[in-house]
Amino acid sequence: MSGVTEASRLGKFSWALFDWANQPYFTVVTTFIFAPYFTSFVVGDPVQGQAYWAYTQAVAGITIALLSPVFGSIADAGGPRKPWITVFVALCAIGSFSLWWATPNMQSGLIWILVAIVMGSIGIEFSLVFNNAMLPTLTSRKKMGTLSGFGWGLGYLGGLIALFIVLLGFSLPETPAFGLDKVAHEHDRMTGPLSAIWFVVFILPMMLFTPDVKSRGIRKTEAIAVGFSNLLDTLKSLRDYRNIIFFLIARMFYNDGILALISFSGIYAAGLFGWGTTSLGVFGILINVFAIAGSFAGGWLDDKLGSKPTIVISVLGLAFASVGVLSISDGEVLFGLPAAMPTEDSGLFESPAEMVFMGFGFIMGFFFGPAQAASRTLVARLSPPEKIGEFFGLFALSGKATAFVAPLMIGVVTDLSGQQRPAMIVIFVLLMVGAALMSFVREPDR
C-alpha cells in the first residue's frame, strides 16, 4: 500500500465528490424531509408509520448484508469498480424518483412505495461498497484519513445545500417552484426526484476523472466464479484476519446505532414536537453545519492520532447525545426537569424542550462524520490490497448484518409500547457495545 501511486488532485476530488452526490438521499429522503412526511402523512399515523419505515430498512439491511461481500469479491476478481457503481446508482435513482407517487393517506399502492424505499436503500449502499474500495488506490495510508474525512465533509455540504434548495425552493414560499401543490405535499414528495437527479449528475466527475482498477481481462462469468471462490477461501481462513474481524464485529454494533440515530432522530422530533417540513429542514441544515466541521476535524485527527481513537471518541460522543435525546419527553428534559413544549404561537425552536433537543442534535452532527469516515479509513488500512473490494464488502456486511436488528427492534418496541421514546434505548446500547469492542482492535503502523 505504501507504493500506491497518488491520483491527481482532480481524480481525488472527483472521488470525494461521490459523497456529495449521494448525501442528499440520506439527508432529505431518509432523515429530515421524506421519512417524517412518510410516517406522519403517507401512512397517516406517526407510530404505525415509524414501524413501516423501520421494516423497510430491515429488509434492505438483510439484502445488503447477504450480497455485499459477494459483489465486492467479484469486483476484485474482475477489476474495475465503476461499472458496478453505475448499476447501483441507477437502481437508487429509480427507487428515489418513484417516491414522488407517495401521496398523503394512501389507501392503495403503499406497497410500491415501500418497495421503492427498499430499492433506493439497496442501490445507494451497494454503490458505496465499490466507491469505498477505490480509496486505497488513490493515496497513501498516511493520507487516507484526510481524503476520507474530506469526502464525508463534502457529502454533508451537499446535503446542506440540498436542504436549502428544498426549503427555499419548495417549502417556505407560498407558491413553491414549478407550481407544486402544498396541499398534496408535492414539496415533500419532490425530495425523491431531486435526490435521484442530484446523484446521477454529480457522480459524472468520478466516472470521468478518477482512475479505476484495470480490468483483469477475464469474462464476467469467470469473474463471478473466481469471486465466489475467493470469498469462500477468505471465509474459511478468517482466523488469519482476526484483527479486521474484531473491527468488523465492533462496527456491526456502533454503525447500527449510528444509522438508527440518523434515521430516527428526525422522525422522533416530528412526533414529539409536531415539527413540519420547515422545522425539520432548518434542523437538518444546522445539523449538517456541525457535521461538516466534524468531518474535516475528524479527517485531520484520523491522520494524527489514528483511526481507532477517532472512532472511539466519536461513538462515545454519539452515545452521550443519544442519552440526551432519550431524556426528553412531553414537558420534560434531562429525565425529569420541567421544560415547556412548543405551542401554536411558538417561534422556530423557541420552546425550552426544543432548545435542549437542538443542543444534543448538534453534538450528534459533529460526531457523525468522524465515526463513519475513520471507519472507512481503518478498513482500508487493515485490508490486504488484493482483497480490498472483498473486505469492503465485508465492511458493508458489518454495517448491515445487524442493521436490520435496530429498525426491527425499534418497530417492535414502538408497536408494543405505542410510543416513540422507548425505542431510543436500543440506539444507546448498540453504540456502547460497539465502543467497548473496539478495545480488541489493533491499528497497524501507518
Side-chain angles (χ1 to χ4, degrees):
M1 289 290 255
S2 59
V4 168
T5 301
E6 288 276 335
S8 67
R9 287 186 178 181
L10 178 60
K12 288 186 282 191
F13 177 81
S14 298
W15 176 85
L17 201 63
F18 185 87
D19 287 327
W20 164 287
N22 69 59
Q23 188 61 36
Y25 179 85
F26 294 113
T27 302
V28 300
V29 173
T30 66
T31 305
F32 294 111
I33 306 297
F34 184 83
Y37 159 68
F38 174 86
T39 59
S40 297
F41 294 99
V42 177
V43 177
D45 176 1
V47 173
Q48 189 62 52
Q50 177 171 297
Y52 280 156
W53 187 270
Y55 295 144
T56 65
Q57 298 310 295
V59 171
I62 293 171
T63 305
I64 294 159
L66 292 175
L67 295 181
S68 53
V70 176
F71 286 137
S73 186
I74 293 171
D76 281 339
R81 271 74 182 191
K82 289 181 182 179
W84 293 93
I85 292 173
T86 301
V87 170
F88 290 118
V89 167
L91 181 66
C92 176
I94 293 170
S96 184
F97 204 97
S98 300
L99 300 181
W100 169 256
W101 287 280
T103 56
N105 298 309
M106 292 190 73
Q107 299 299 314
S108 63
L110 180 61
I111 184 63
W112 297 113
I113 299 303
L114 299 176
V115 169
I117 294 168
V118 172
M119 282 178 57
S121 298
I122 289 173
I124 202 165
E125 291 290 347
F126 279 146
S127 70
L128 285 169
V129 170
F130 299 103
N131 180 259
N132 288 342
M134 298 174 74
L135 173 61
T137 67
L138 303 177
T139 190
S140 66
R141 284 180 183 268
K142 293 182 178 180
K143 298 178 181 179
M144 281 195 292
T146 299
L147 179 56
S148 182
F150 176 73
W152 275 102
L154 204 58
Y156 282 120
L157 180 60
L160 180 65
I161 292 174
L163 273 174
F164 271 118
I165 292 173
V166 171
L167 288 178
L168 300 181
F170 307 129
S171 297
L172 294 178
E174 290 186 13
T175 304
F178 309 121
L180 298 180
D181 184 358
K182 280 192 170 183
V183 175
H185 284 270
E186 290 182 349
H187 60 299
D188 294 322
R189 293 152 51 194
M190 184 63 184
T191 55
L194 172 67
S195 300
I197 295 169
W198 185 293
F199 201 0
V200 171
V201 169
F202 286 111
I203 64 161
L204 294 179
M206 187 271 290
M207 291 294 184
L208 295 173
F209 304 119
T210 302
D212 198 358
V213 177
K214 293 182 179 180
S215 173
R216 303 189 189 281
I218 62 175
R219 293 174 299 175
K220 289 183 174 61
T221 53
E222 186 179 353
I224 293 172
V226 172
F228 269 107
S229 177
N230 290 344
L231 178 60
L232 290 174
D233 289 342
T234 298
L235 294 176
K236 291 176 182 177
S237 60
L238 283 180
R239 61 182 178 275
D240 298 329
Y241 303 101
R242 289 181 180 178
N243 199 32
I244 193 169
I245 295 305
F246 283 143
F247 165 61
L248 294 178
I249 292 172
R251 184 176 179 267
M252 282 184 182
F253 290 92
Y254 75 71
N255 190 68
D256 198 0
I258 290 172
L259 294 178
L261 191 59
I262 292 172
S263 297
F264 290 99
S265 59
I267 293 173
Y268 184 67
L272 181 63
F273 300 121
W275 284 358
T277 301
T278 299
S279 296
L280 288 165
V282 174
F283 175 63
I285 287 172
L286 296 173
I287 288 288
N288 272 269
V289 169
F290 280 84
I292 293 166
S295 295
F296 291 142
W300 175 85
L301 189 66
D302 189 341
D303 284 340
K304 292 297 180 182
L305 294 184
S307 302
K308 177 183 171 179
T310 304
I311 292 169
V312 173
I313 292 169
S314 299
V315 172
L316 291 177
L318 290 169
F320 172 75
S322 71
V323 172
V325 171
L326 179 64
S327 75
I328 304 171
S329 61
D330 189 2
E332 293 183 350
V333 298
L334 304 179
F335 299 108
L337 291 180
M341 297 289 284
T343 64
E344 291 184 2
D345 299 327
S346 297
L348 190 64
F349 312 135
E350 190 175 69
S351 73
E354 288 175 300
M355 291 179 185
V356 173
F357 182 89
M358 293 287 287
F360 288 115
F362 295 156
I363 295 173
M364 280 185 223
F366 187 82
F367 287 115
F368 278 149
Q372 294 168 311
S375 297
R376 176 166 64 183
T377 306
L378 185 55
V379 76
R381 287 172 173 157
L382 292 174
S383 300
E386 71 279 4
K387 292 179 176 289
I388 193 69
E390 185 176 316
F391 275 99
F392 265 110
L394 292 172
F395 178 68
L397 182 150
S398 74
K400 293 297 181 181
T402 59
F404 70 94
V405 174
L408 186 61
M409 290 178 66
I410 288 172
V412 171
V413 171
T414 302
D415 270 339
L416 292 177
S417 67
Q419 301 178 32
Q420 292 179 290
R421 186 187 182 196
M424 298 297 291
I425 299 172
V426 174
I427 296 173
F428 172 76
V429 172
L430 289 169
L431 291 169
M432 291 304 297
V433 171
L437 290 175
M438 282 298 295
S439 62
F440 295 100
V441 179
R442 299 291 177 265
E443 185 171 359
D445 294 335
R446 291 166 292 144

